[in-house]
Amino acid sequence: MRDEDLSKPTDAPQSIYGIDKWGADLVSVMDNGDLGLKNPLKADAPVVSLPKIIRDLDEQGVQTPLVLRVSSFLELGIRSINEGFSRAIEKSGYRGVYRGVFPIKVNQQAQVVDRIVEFGRPYSFGLEAGSKPELVVALTHRLARDALIVCNGVKDAEFIRLAILSRKLGFNTVVVLESPKELETVLEVVAELDQEPLLGVRVKLTNEISGNWAESSGDRSTFGMPTDQLVTVIDRLREAGLLHCLKLQHSHLGSQIPDVNDVRRAVGEACRYFAELTREGAPLTHLDLGGGLGVDYTGEKSATENSINYSVDEYCANVVETVTYAMDEAGLEHPTLVTESGRAVVASSSMLIFNVLETTLYDAPASPAPHEGDHHLVGDLAAIKDYLGPDRLQESLNDAIFYRNELRALFRRGYIDLRQMGRAEEMFLHLMAKIKTLAPEAGNAAQIDAHLEKIADIYHCNFSLFQSLPDVWAIDQLHPVVPMQRLNEVPDRRAVLSDITCDSDGKIDRFILEDGVSPSLPVHSITDHEPYYLCVFFVGAYQETLGDLHNLFGDTNAVTIELRDDGEFDLLHEQEGDTIAEVLSYVEYEPRDCIAAFRSIVDQEISEARLKASDRKMLMAAYRDSINGYTYYE
Ligand SMILES: Cc1ncc(COP(=O)(O)O)c(C=O)c1O
């Protein structure tokens, strides 16, 4: 097949994965069934084959599992929000500007933050630091002269001192006051320095949002000052002669806001505070609306937990319109608009790619006949095939499960022997194979899912859910998952994906498909001669940061690539995943001591004549290879 043929999208069986709903700008399926990456910044650039990328990386010594970061996807994230606000500002005649900041906590990896700063420079895009270490990171970057560094979170004197002193270097670092107590620390630090601070104040809005982060909003949210504390802070700042330093008002509603009307309501409330604080004499110039701009993980375009009912442009337009009305009504200048969008900027820029290691198939190709003398339930089980059909699918499934379970109970009590039980299990699995084949004719998608849920195969995959997709485990986050190859073949199996931790929670069993969320993923039978890879999308936000070392699986390899105009790619950066030695050191083991301890066990076995001295070299080499190797299946 010629290259130009490969780059053409097709509309064959791949539509089941709903790619056009959630990933139309970024991915498509090529004629040869490969998943392809589109360059979202160049409409006419050829699609780049993802399997080819993985093969090339493998040849260069980079194995799966790996996180693949695509530079132009990240650039698109930065452009979308900045140009979205520019368009909205221009359209509505807003008289202020937009100066967004990226919250480092959403993806702290140096390769990601460096690129955000680079792509954001033309837009004077800044950084948000929610902790001292994040401020330390922010201050290593040469931001545009008018970009902001917004410091949120609990701050000690050291944090505040560094933030204020950084102004001497030309950084526009804003210390956002989280409480009256924090203000007292700020006043103490200011008294030591010959540098005025830039101050912000964090307001607790009373409006609540829907979705997974409802608790981050409203009265019971942890951060931000209620009205009485705001009054205290204003009075105290005036008394200390520093009210003129209060330039920014901040509020944050929570992440992944599903409903754009929640955004409008909250922005309206934030504007009321802005007007009132201004009336109190605070010379506010910046209105910071925090994060919350969501990602449409499922592509449903609805106000549900894993989706949003608005686009980036709509979000920007709603914010600008609401602030315009509110400021005009209050007779105020239009402030500089600040948002701290993290998820929407980085989620789509990374994907997790892993290989299937083996499969547990939940069916059998043939059914043995019952033997003379078999228990009558074995005959009942065998008879199901006579009435099994699309119209009696559920009934057949119920019966098969019932008879099989009864037979298992008889086996446990010693009434039937191993071979009879083996026959029954095989008959059952063959019935399951038939049910899977008939399910698509049996009714709507939800019914089919219900039929197949308990009989899906298990595909054992080379990744750790806890390290690479922690939100899937913790908050039932959904991410699109798609086979990376053979998308021109009808997937012949349905599977759940289990990871390589020894934890039964380490599995993905909710999948985004064209017609909704399903408990199993359509996949292809795997063969011995060809690796089978799966790709999980939208993992750029929070997943790398929140991952943990369950079972001591460490960071995966991570590569940053750029898509080229000739259908190839450039490898911009490779970050090797953790070695076993590295993860051991995180949990207080010193790798050298581990080697020494193993050696002493070997030597003792030799000295007590339980091991041949000639085995020493081989044992030590095996231990060293392991400790210096990748934590995942190699
Ligand atoms: C203060 C603050 N700003 C910004 C964000 C980023 O939010 P998002 O990723 O939803 O844009 C967060 C995250 O919760 C936050 O706590």
Side-chain angles (χ1 to χ4, degrees), residues 27 134 164 200 254 327 353 444 581:
V27 260
E134 288 179 3
I164 297 175
M327 295 302 153
I353 295 166
N444 64 34

Side-chain angles (χ1 to χ4, degrees), residues 132-401:
K132 235 182 322 187
E134 288 179 3
L135 176 61
V136 167
V137 167
L139 293 176
T140 62
H141 290 282
R142 290 184 190 282
L143 301 171
R145 295 300 287 185
D146 51 347
L148 295 171
I149 295 178
V150 177
C151 299
N152 291 319
V154 179
K155 296 176 258 330
D156 62 8
E158 204 172 63
F159 188 167
I160 294 165
R161 188 175 300 114
L162 181 61
I164 297 175
L165 282 176
S166 71
R167 295 203 58 218
K168 286 181 181 283
L169 301 169
F171 288 105
N172 304 305
T173 312
V174 186
V175 176
V176 177
L177 301 170
E178 298 273 352
S179 67
K181 182 162 177 274
E182 191 166 278
L183 172 57
E184 294 308 319
T185 317
V186 168
L187 295 179
E188 281 164 28
V189 173
V190 168
E192 299 164 9
L193 305 175
D194 60 348
Q195 174 65 51
E196 280 208 328
L198 257 182
L199 296 178
V201 68
R202 183 158 180 171
V203 170
K204 190 197 289 267
L205 302 181
T206 59
N207 264 300
E208 285 181 25
I209 59 157
S210 49
N212 257 334
W213 280 269
E215 283 178 11
S216 312
S217 62
D219 271 349
R220 299 290 302 151
S221 62
T222 354
F223 290 104
M225 285 185 266
T227 317
D228 51 327
Q229 290 188 4
L230 289 173
V231 172
T232 308
V233 162
I234 291 280
D235 289 347
R236 184 74 179 103
L237 276 172
R238 181 176 285 116
E239 183 188 308
L242 286 179
L243 190 55
H244 64 281
C245 299
L246 184 56
K247 299 287 186 187
L248 178 142
Q249 177 191 302
H250 167 99
S251 51
H252 171 69
L253 271 184
S255 208
Q256 186 67 15
I257 301 175
D259 187 348
V260 77
N261 284 336
D262 285 345
V263 175
R264 274 184 193 267
R265 271 192 292 277
V267 174
E269 189 183 359
C271 289
R272 276 291 301 132
Y273 278 101
F274 195 93
E276 287 297 322
L277 291 176
T278 308
R279 202 206 304 269
E280 286 285 332
L284 294 174
T285 51
H286 288 63
L287 176 61
D288 179 349
L289 297 162
L293 169 57
V295 168
D296 197 356
Y297 291 93
T298 61
E300 290 167 303
K301 299 192 171 38
S302 68
T304 50
E305 282 176 5
N306 291 286
S307 182
I308 47 174
N309 66 358
Y310 55 92
S311 64
V312 174
D313 277 354
E314 221 175 310
Y315 170 88
C316 299
N318 282 329
V319 167
V320 172
E321 184 187 288
T322 311
V323 180
T324 310
Y325 288 154
M327 295 302 153
D328 288 351
E329 200 173 293
L332 296 179
E333 287 295 301
H334 293 172
T336 297
L337 291 171
V338 182
T339 65
E340 302 176 356
S341 286
R343 184 185 298 273
V345 169
V346 285
S348 66
S349 67
S350 301
M351 53 206 81
L352 173 72
I353 295 166
F354 51 77
N355 49 317
V356 176
L357 296 171
E358 57 179 302
T359 58
T360 302
L361 303 184
Y362 210 74
D363 52 31
S367 181
H371 286 194
E372 265 296 308
D374 273 357
H375 194 279
H376 70 85
L377 285 172
V378 178
D380 292 339
L381 190 62
I384 292 176
K385 66 174 181 321
D386 302 335
Y387 56 85
L388 172 59
D391 48 337
R392 293 179 69 182
L393 208 63
Q394 187 64 54
E395 180 190 346
S396 307
L397 183 59
N398 296 343
D399 290 351
I401 292 172

